Amino acid sequence: MLKGLFNKLSEKTPFSNKYATDKTINEDIGGKDRAEDNASAQAMASGLLKKFKNGLQKSRKGFINQVDALIFRKRKIDDELLEELEELLVTGDISVSCVTEIFERLKKEIKRNAISDGDALKEALKSIILEMVDIDAPPIPWAPSPYICLMAGVNGVGKTTTIAKLANILKSQGKNPLFVASDTFRAAAIDQLLVWGKRLNIPVIHHQQGADPSAVAYDGIEAAIKRGVDVVFVDTAGRLHTKVNLMEELKKIRRVIKKHIEDAPHETLLVLDATNGQNALNQARQFNEATPISGIILTKLDGTAKGGIVVTIANELKIPIRYIGIGEKMDDLEPFSPKLFVDALFSS
C-alpha cells in the first residue's frame, strides 16, 4: 500500500518563486532549496528506518539473527543449509506454503548460478520477501467526507487504542474525526472509547451497554453527516471469529451504514495482534469471509521475535497491511512501508 512512502521521502521538490526575475538567482536559490529538501528527506527516511529497526528489534534478534548465524557457519550453499534455513523461516511464523514458495524461487536462482554464496542467498531471500509483503494497493484517501471506517478484531488486539492512534494521525493532518461506539456488548469498551474521545477532543456517539450495535452505527453516521465530520471510526464488538452470531452482527452493521451512504463503509480495517502468530492468520481468514476486509493493522509487532507473520498474512491473503504498531506510544503506529520493513528486518 505504502510503497510510495519511502519514495516520497526521497523526492526533490522543485523551487519556484513568482517574484524572482533573475534566472540565475532563481536557479541558484532553487538548487539550494532542493539540496535542503533532499537532505531533510534523507534525514526523515533515516529516522523512520531507525524507528522500524527499533520496533522490529525482537524479530531481528530472533529468527533473522539465526539466519545470519546459519549462513555464516555453513558458508557453502548446499541441501543441508537450505533445510536448516527452511526450518528457521517456519519457526519465524512464515507459513509452510510461503516457505515452499520462497524455496522454489531460491532453488531456481541457485540452479542458474545466480546465488553462489551466503551474501547472495540473503539478498535473494530479502528480495523475495519484499515482493511478498508489497501488495499493490492505493493509499487510503480518507475522503470523501464523511469517510466511514469500520474497525474489526477480536478482544485484546488493541483495537480501541488503534482507533485512537489513527484518529490522532488524522487530526494532525487537519481532519475532523468522530468515534462511534458500536461495541455495546461490554460497558468497558464504551467507556474506553469515551476516555479516548475526551483525551483527544473527539466526539463519541454511544448508547448504553446492551443496545443494538446497528442502531448506534446508524445514529453515528447521521450525526457525522449533520456535523460535517471528515472521518468516522465505527468500533465493533471484539468478537471471536468463531462466533457466528457476532459475525452476523458485523454484516448487519454494514447494511445499516449503507442505508445512509450507499458506498460505505469505505474501509473495513481488521486489527490483528502480531504476537498471536498463525492464529492471527486464521482470524483474518474468518473475518474476510464474513465481511470484505480492505486492510490490516498489525499491532504489537515490537513484542514478537517472529516478524514472519507479516509475510504470511500479506502473501496468503493478498490484503494490504496498512499500519503496524511498533510501540505503546501514541506515535508508534506507523504506515506500513514494505521496503522500510524489509530493510529494518534484515539490517545488522
Side-chain angles (χ1 to χ4, degrees), residues 110-121:
I110 293 171
K111 187 174 288 187
R112 69 184 189 88
N113 295 320
I115 299 174
S116 58
D117 57 30
D119 289 339
L121 177 62

Side-chain angles (χ1 to χ4, degrees), residues 66-301:
Q66 291 176 330
V67 169
D68 285 339
L70 172 64
I71 292 173
F72 179 78
R73 188 175 78 250
K74 294 290 185 180
R75 294 185 180 274
K76 181 183 176 183
I77 308 298
D78 55 20
D79 290 341
E80 185 180 352
L81 183 149
L82 293 176
E83 285 179 12
E84 289 189 46
L85 180 58
E86 191 172 0
E87 289 178 10
L88 283 178
L89 295 184
V90 171
T91 58
D93 265 344
I94 300 180
S95 69
V96 173
S97 60
C98 284
V99 171
T100 300
E101 182 181 339
I102 289 170
F103 275 84
E104 284 176 355
R105 296 176 61 178
L106 284 177
K107 286 174 181 177
K108 284 181 182 178
E109 294 299 301
I110 293 171
K111 187 174 288 187
R112 69 184 189 88
N113 295 320
I115 299 174
S116 58
D117 57 30
D119 289 339
L121 177 62
K122 186 177 176 181
E123 282 304 309
L125 178 62
K126 182 178 174 181
S127 178
I128 292 170
I129 287 178
L130 176 57
E131 288 183 30
M132 285 182 159
V133 299
D134 192 4
I135 304 301
D136 186 22
I140 299 176
W142 300 115
S145 300
Y147 196 80
I148 315 301
C149 184
L150 195 62
M151 302 293 293
V154 302
N155 287 331
V157 297
K159 177 166 52 67
T160 309
T161 303
T162 298
I163 291 172
K165 290 181 177 181
L166 271 177
N168 189 57
I169 291 172
L170 293 176
K171 280 200 75 173
S172 70
Q173 297 171 359
K175 297 286 187 181
N176 178 26
L178 173 75
F179 292 156
V180 178
S182 282
D183 181 357
T184 60
F185 291 93
R186 295 183 307 118
I190 300 171
D191 292 342
Q192 189 179 5
L193 204 60
L194 285 168
V195 168
W196 277 117
K198 184 177 181 180
R199 191 176 299 176
L200 298 173
N201 195 27
I202 295 173
V204 182
I205 304 301
H206 65 99
H207 292 185
Q208 297 299 314
Q209 180 186 5
D212 181 357
S214 299
V216 183
Y218 187 91
D219 289 349
I221 306 305
E222 195 170 63
I225 294 171
K226 288 180 180 178
R227 300 181 189 187
V229 165
D230 295 317
V231 180
V232 180
F233 289 101
V234 182
D235 186 19
T236 62
R239 60 203 78 239
L240 289 171
H241 55 289
T242 53
K243 297 292 184 181
V244 176
N245 59 322
L246 292 180
M247 296 299 275
E248 287 300 318
E249 185 62 50
L250 187 59
K251 294 179 184 178
K252 183 181 175 184
I253 291 173
R254 289 182 65 92
R255 291 195 299 269
V256 167
I257 290 174
K258 284 184 180 297
K259 289 181 180 179
H260 262 309
I261 303 173
E262 189 175 349
D263 59 347
H266 304 99
E267 295 290 336
T268 300
L269 299 180
L270 176 63
V271 183
L272 298 173
D273 182 343
T275 63
N276 285 339
Q278 296 299 313
N279 190 43
L281 176 64
N282 295 332
Q283 291 172 21
R285 283 180 175 143
Q286 294 289 336
F287 273 100
N288 200 38
E289 287 177 8
T291 184
I293 301 298
S294 60
I296 287 171
I297 299 176
L298 270 174
T299 63
K300 308 177 188 179
L301 199 55

Side-chain angles (χ1 to χ4, degrees), residues 48-68 88-89 92-94 102 122-123 125-130 132-133 301-302 304-312 324 326 336-348:
L48 277 173
L49 179 60
K50 184 178 180 181
K51 190 171 184 179
F52 269 62
K53 285 172 68 174
N54 290 339
L56 296 170
Q57 190 173 29
K58 286 188 177 180
S59 289
R60 286 193 296 116
K61 289 183 176 180
F63 82 100
I64 292 298
N65 275 11
Q66 291 176 330
V67 169
D68 285 339
L88 283 178
L89 295 184
D93 265 344
I94 300 180
I102 289 170
K122 186 177 176 181
E123 282 304 309
L125 178 62
K126 182 178 174 181
S127 178
I128 292 170
I129 287 178
L130 176 57
M132 285 182 159
V133 299
L301 199 55
D302 58 311
T304 178
K306 301 180 178 182
I309 191 60
V310 176
V311 183
T312 298
I324 56 172
I326 50 176
F336 180 68
S337 164
K339 187 177 187 332
L340 280 177
F341 170 77
V342 174
D343 283 348
L345 191 64
F346 280 86
S347 63
S348 56

